[in-house]
Amino acid sequence: PAWINRRALRYADVILMKAEAANELGDRTTAAEMRELIRARARGGNASMLPPVPATVSQAVMRQAIKDERRWE
């Protein structure tokens, strides 16, 4: 029926949720990999565009990078 609310989750949002969770658990390597999945798709083969954020940054820097990525998406 038309009155049923349907929720839609974008794939990019799910990946960024995983990145956020990994970062908060201290696994910045996984967080960086998940964020890089989104950026690789956005690059469209242009490697000079959208540089990666290394996993060696602090938790706060990674948190902000993921937050920015969500806003850009």
Side-chain angles (χ1 to χ4, degrees):
W3 54 268
I4 294 177
N5 290 330
R6 298 189 191 271
R7 292 188 185 254
L9 289 175
R10 296 183 62 233
Y11 180 68
D13 197 36
V14 173
I15 295 298
L16 290 172
M17 281 188 255
K18 183 175 180 176
E20 284 176 330
N23 186 51
E24 296 307 315
L25 292 172
D27 184 4
R28 282 185 290 286
T29 301
T30 299
E33 289 171 1
M34 294 297 103
R35 184 173 176 270
E36 186 58 26
L37 281 175
I38 304 303
R39 291 175 80 74
R41 178 190 54 80
R43 272 186 209 108
N46 185 353
S48 66
M49 204 165 89
L50 300 171
V53 172
T56 57
V57 298
S58 70
Q59 186 179 37
V61 170
M62 183 61 75
R63 185 181 297 126
Q64 186 62 47
I66 294 168
K67 185 177 180 180
D68 291 342
E69 195 67 38
R70 176 167 276 128
R71 189 182 65 209
W72 295 325
E73 269 297 309

